[in-house]
Amino acid sequence: MSLSTLSASPAAPGAVARRAERRPGFWRAPVSRVTFREFGYALTSLPFAIAGFVFVVTLFSLGTGLAVTLLGLPVYAAMLAGAQGLGAVERRRARERLGLEVAEPGAVRGPAAGGAWAGVRARLADAAGWKALLFQLVMFPWRVLSFVLALTLWLTGWAVALFPTYSWVFSHYLDWPGYRVFDFTTSGGEHHAYYIESPLQVAGVSALGVVLVLLTPLVIRALNSVDRSAVRSLLGR
């Protein structure tokens, strides 16, 4: 065996990473590890978004209240430093959960002399800090929406898809012929009711749930694509 063959045999690290992050097929996606990671990312993004938003709003309000004095500037500098620290956490989460590699922004460069105030001025002039601050503000409402949509679709899809396994409960333990969709009487005395009780109806409901289960990974990935773009543009170099 030639030396060239030996040198070419090990797979490049990038190729290994691409194989590890290869998207599963449409039918296998609902139970794939990649989908569970992305679903976990969408759920855990909400507490991080709340913490970041509260931190930024609190320090910004405090700095604005102290803006009439020089004490507001160190508060703003601390706010930007904290936003960059939160940005580092977000880059790590995106790398571990989404397989997204983003280069860190450069370190804040201040003058060699000038003391603490020179460091404050350098921090306030750092564009990366303001971009990290903007990330915490704009991603808060989006991550609330992502959390609600991802969790609702996930739970609804599986609950409806598995409907045949527990559809007997309503007729066995309740005074219903099946699952009650609606049952009411109008002011004119007309009674309207609809129950899911026949095997065909139960199968139709389950089929609708299967469709939701299959579409949920696509929706979650689309929601997380906004996070990918935001991390790249606001938290990268």
Side-chain angles (χ1 to χ4, degrees):
M1 185 179 293
S2 64
L3 291 177
S4 60
T5 304
L6 288 174
S7 61
S9 57
V16 174
R18 283 192 294 271
R19 283 200 298 268
E21 293 297 325
R22 183 176 297 171
R23 302 300 305 172
F26 178 73
W27 302 104
R28 200 167 58 85
V31 293
S32 70
R33 183 179 301 179
V34 175
T35 298
F36 279 102
R37 278 206 307 268
E38 294 215 357
F39 180 58
Y41 178 87
L43 293 186
T44 56
S45 290
L46 180 60
F48 282 98
I50 293 174
F53 184 80
V54 170
F55 172 81
V56 167
V57 170
T58 301
L59 286 193
F60 183 81
S61 301
L62 179 60
T64 303
L66 296 173
V68 293
T69 67
L70 291 178
L71 294 178
L73 298 180
V75 173
Y76 283 146
M79 175 185 65
L80 296 177
Q84 284 194 290
L86 293 172
V89 175
E90 292 293 347
R91 285 193 300 272
R92 183 168 64 249
R93 291 183 62 244
R95 180 174 63 252
E96 294 174 354
R97 294 286 181 173
L98 304 180
L100 178 64
E101 292 287 347
V102 176
E104 297 182 4
V108 178
R109 295 183 178 180
W117 284 108
V120 169
R121 289 195 299 270
R123 176 67 68 178
L124 293 176
D126 182 38
W130 292 103
K131 289 167 64 177
L133 175 71
L134 181 62
F135 179 90
Q136 300 300 329
L137 293 176
V138 301
M139 293 306 293
F140 173 69
W142 174 255
R143 285 180 165 178
V144 173
L145 177 64
S146 295
F147 177 90
V148 173
L149 287 179
L151 187 60
T152 300
L153 283 176
W154 189 281
L155 295 180
T156 302
W158 283 107
V160 176
L162 298 175
F163 181 67
T165 63
Y166 60 88
S167 60
W168 56 273
V169 171
F170 305 102
S171 59
H172 191 78
Y173 292 104
L174 300 175
D175 190 21
W176 299 351
Y179 176 76
R180 184 170 66 184
V181 179
F182 59 82
D183 189 343
F184 65 94
T185 302
T186 64
S187 57
E190 296 182 0
H191 182 251
H192 301 274
Y194 185 81
Y195 292 84
I196 300 174
E197 51 185 309
S198 70
L200 184 60
Q201 290 174 316
V202 172
V205 170
S206 180
L208 178 60
V210 170
V211 172
L212 288 177
V213 167
L214 292 172
L215 293 179
T216 296
L218 300 178
V219 175
I220 292 176
R221 181 164 177 79
L223 294 172
N224 288 341
S225 66
V226 176
D227 285 68
R228 288 183 173 91
S229 299
V231 170
R232 287 193 192 99
S233 58
L234 296 178
L235 300 181
R237 184 171 300 177

